[in-house]
Amino acid sequence: MTGGMDGRAEDGGRVYQSSGDQHISEHHHYGGDSGPAGPDSVRRPAVGRAPVVLRDRAEVLERLRAGVAPGRCGEVFVLHGMGGCGKTAVAYALFHHATETLGRAGLWVNAADRASLRSGMLAVAADRGAGDGELLAARNGLRPAADLVWERLDRSAEPWLLVLDNADDPEILRDGSWLRTSPRGTVVITTRRAAARWWPGAELQHIGVLPREDAARILHDLAPSSGTMEQAAEVADRLGRLPLALTLAGGFLSHQVLDPWTMDAYGRQLDEGEPIELIDQGADAMSGEDPRHLVGRTWQLTLDAFGARGLPEAATLLRLLARFAPEPLPLSLLNCPEIGAAVPRARTETALRALLDQSLTELVEVGVRCLQTHGVLLDSVAAATPPADRTALDTTAAGMLGAALPGVPDAGPHDPRLRLFVPHALALLRHVTDSATMGEALTVATRLSTALHRTGDYLSAWETARAAADTAGPALGTEHRLVLAARSRAGRSLFRLGRYEEAERLLRGVRTAQERLFGAADPDTLDTSHGLQLVLGNLGRRDEALALLRSVVAGRRSALGPDHPLTLRSRASLLATLSAEELAAEQPAAGEGAVEEGDVLLSLPEQCVTRLGPDHTVTLGARHNHARALFVLGRFTEAEEEIGQVAEGYRRRFGPEYPIALAARQLLARIRAALGDRDSAVELMTDVVTRRERDLGRDHPFTMASAELLGALRTG
């Protein structure tokens, strides 16, 4: 084929000019039909047991129901109030009315953290008809995720209600423009942040504590045999008439069988001993007449009762849960050997059932079975945990999270279950004070970031690594090995997001520190160097990138051995980097004598198959890059056979929409054009361009580059 074109980065990978060829040297794959079912079941509210009767919310519900009446759309309602006041219960009641009575599509998203919000909103887009390719592009940062979501919401065939629950950090919604209005639906937000500046154009509805009579009725409904309505009212007053505290008290009273408590006895116990404050840490400052600190010994009385009944493990389990975040926590996390360091595994089931029975935690279904515990309760329990117990609990929590993650994260299908662990890993880092345990928790968070990155969720990977390093840095030191490793991981994700200048600054700074502290041959330094050379290549600084890549190959060969996957991976990157002359120079000259197998670059795929197996990620990437090298060398027939096999393997494994599959088909089109089969090349590239236009839009650089190649193929 004749005619050149400027080299461009494609699919976030390295690109070098070679007769207009575009290719990828760092192989990642992204999943297909065999991937795990996701937890993003946005049609099911992530709440536990909803109240049978919603007390004293009639006026608010009447206003909200009017907002979702037939023909009403385009509005945003903000339900605000202190933690534990029942905002989510009100939203759930409206959700049920809108879906069951009015027939609206109900969509429920946890907006407590960036990873959960993004994953949930992309699940909304999928529910509203977005295709796999569009979703993948948004998740990879190749197109604005919020634009895709709201485009699909605006085009919805049926009216909808979208609930953004636990939006206590409005900045998360502002970043990326997640909060918008639509002529096809209504948005409801629950939050502890009441300031109008966060919610321009929205209608704010305050959800406060209950009137005395309604508070008494809640307590009496839960424990009708424990006393009269007046006695219940007196206890409710002591609990500040906060629905959360009333639920905890009612759960306790209703489960005392052998020696039942009365309302009066419970009230006396509340007045005795050192009170424990339930502090609403996430709310805006409130007026003096709104209680900010509510005295609550509800859960402590329950834990004392557990101890008296010979079940101290329930108290330990609750304190262990308080090391995590108030977001859905997969139940599988509690079913691992590591929990035995705090709670005997044989007693974990009994302890959990006790907490569930007393409403101290709840089961929620988000596609996987999870526990969810109220944030106000977790904050209170964490604050009251004896200091002597905290390090052991933190170490156990880190071990549990670590056991839930792959030991060595590999490229693989998108796994939405991974993002469920993000808020818990970061919450644990915020709780830890012991430096050794901080290191363990940071290692787990960095491994989680790596796993997210290698399944294509680059935004979540970057945010997780960045937040983990920022949290641990002040405690461990900004130049601690583990902090630097976390920042290096953040730099790799910035690169994949196409933010090359930021990635270079971050990776160069980390590499400089690592080289000074640990040496140029240290594995961490080499890992950062490998990431940096990818960035430099995409910035057009080929010579600098190639020199750095060669040093990484030499360093990894020396430090890890010639057969280590990282060594083979870096050598595979050479196949995607070198020109024809440089590739020829890599081969032994005739008559030079025996050369070690590992020194023949073009034999790398065979070496990878022997050392790692035919399906290993590094092997697949090496074969892809090898096909590119054969093309550069003019060995078109061999190149066509290899890339054809690779492309078909990608298609079967990941589907036709995935970037790596499209990249392989694009290389195949170039090879066929070089072989003179222009019709087949045009057919292949037409399909690539069609898919990229649909997934990325006409103006995306990847689409434009593919369209330019298609034009060149058509004109000859």
Side-chain angles (χ1 to χ4, degrees), residues 486-532:
R487 296 209 182 280
S488 178
R489 176 48 52 189
R492 299 289 285 272
S493 295
L494 281 173
F495 161 65
R496 283 286 162 187
L497 291 169
R499 295 160 63 174
Y500 301 140
E501 289 79 9
E502 293 175 74
E504 184 197 2
R505 286 194 298 271
L506 180 54
L507 290 172
R508 192 177 291 281
V510 169
R511 179 176 179 269
T512 298
Q514 289 173 328
E515 194 169 29
R516 171 170 48 83
L517 295 167
F518 316 130
D522 183 83
D524 283 0
T525 308
L526 293 171
D527 188 61
T528 302
S529 299
H530 184 91
L532 179 58

Side-chain angles (χ1 to χ4, degrees), residues 403-655:
L405 301 175
V408 181
D410 191 13
H414 170 61
D415 185 354
R417 292 175 298 188
L418 287 172
R419 66 93 175 155
L420 290 175
F421 297 121
V422 172
H424 302 295
L426 298 179
L428 178 60
L429 279 169
R430 291 191 291 270
H431 283 303
V432 172
T433 55
D434 175 75
S435 59
T437 309
M438 178 73 78
E440 294 178 41
L442 179 57
T443 298
V444 170
T446 303
R447 183 148 47 96
L448 174 57
S449 172
T450 304
L452 289 163
H453 179 106
R454 291 180 179 169
T455 59
D457 194 349
Y458 300 129
L459 277 168
S460 295
W462 168 62
E463 290 165 353
T464 301
R466 180 190 60 170
D470 288 347
T471 301
L476 296 178
T478 58
E479 291 192 337
H480 190 281
R481 177 183 285 275
L482 297 177
V483 174
L484 290 171
R487 296 209 182 280
S488 178
R489 176 48 52 189
R492 299 289 285 272
S493 295
L494 281 173
F495 161 65
R496 283 286 162 187
L497 291 169
R499 295 160 63 174
Y500 301 140
E501 289 79 9
E502 293 175 74
E504 184 197 2
R505 286 194 298 271
L506 180 54
L507 290 172
R508 192 177 291 281
V510 169
R511 179 176 179 269
T512 298
Q514 289 173 328
E515 194 169 29
R516 171 170 48 83
L517 295 167
F518 316 130
D522 183 83
D524 283 0
T525 308
L526 293 171
D527 188 61
T528 302
S529 299
H530 184 91
L532 179 58
Q533 59 87 21
L534 291 169
V535 178
L536 294 173
N538 277 275
L539 287 171
R541 289 144 65 178
R542 179 185 183 278
D543 292 344
E544 186 179 356
L546 180 55
L548 185 55
L549 177 57
R550 288 191 184 279
S551 72
V552 172
V553 171
R556 283 181 164 172
R557 187 194 292 269
S558 175
L560 305 175
D563 296 333
H564 193 280
L566 291 177
T567 305
L568 295 172
R569 180 184 174 205
S570 292
R571 295 192 67 216
S573 293
L574 286 172
L575 285 171
T577 303
L578 300 178
S579 66
E581 294 76 11
E582 290 165 336
L583 284 167
E586 292 285 322
Q587 307 313 306
E592 283 190 354
V595 179
E596 291 186 18
E597 179 187 6
D599 290 332
V600 182
L601 189 58
L602 286 180
S603 70
L604 187 63
E606 290 82 3
Q607 298 170 42
C608 291
V609 169
T610 301
R611 305 292 189 264
L612 307 175
D615 297 324
H616 194 280
T617 299
V618 172
T619 303
L620 291 172
R623 291 193 66 202
H624 189 159
N625 293 344
H626 183 249
R628 176 264 174 191
L630 293 174
F631 174 62
V632 168
L633 290 169
R635 295 160 61 176
F636 301 138
T637 301
E638 297 171 75
E640 180 190 29
E641 181 180 0
E642 181 146 39
I643 198 60
Q645 294 172 0
V646 170
E648 178 58 22
Y650 286 159
R651 188 197 64 77
R652 288 196 310 270
R653 189 168 176 181
F654 313 130

Side-chain angles (χ1 to χ4, degrees), residues 265-304:
Y266 192 85
R268 287 193 298 271
Q269 286 296 318
L270 288 174
D271 293 334
E272 296 177 4
E274 187 69 23
I276 298 172
E277 291 184 335
L278 291 175
I279 303 174
D280 187 24
Q281 297 180 346
D284 290 322
M286 296 184 176
S287 64
E289 59 191 27
D290 288 323
R292 179 70 188 265
H293 304 283
L294 300 176
V295 176
R297 280 181 49 81
T298 53
W299 59 267
Q300 187 61 61
L301 292 176
T302 303
L303 298 190
D304 291 345

Side-chain angles (χ1 to χ4, degrees), residues 681-687 689-690 705-715:
V682 169
E683 181 181 354
L684 281 167
M685 281 310 303
T686 299
D687 179 68
V689 170
T690 299
S706 295
E708 184 177 346
L709 172 59
L710 176 58
L713 289 173
R714 282 173 170 164
T715 60

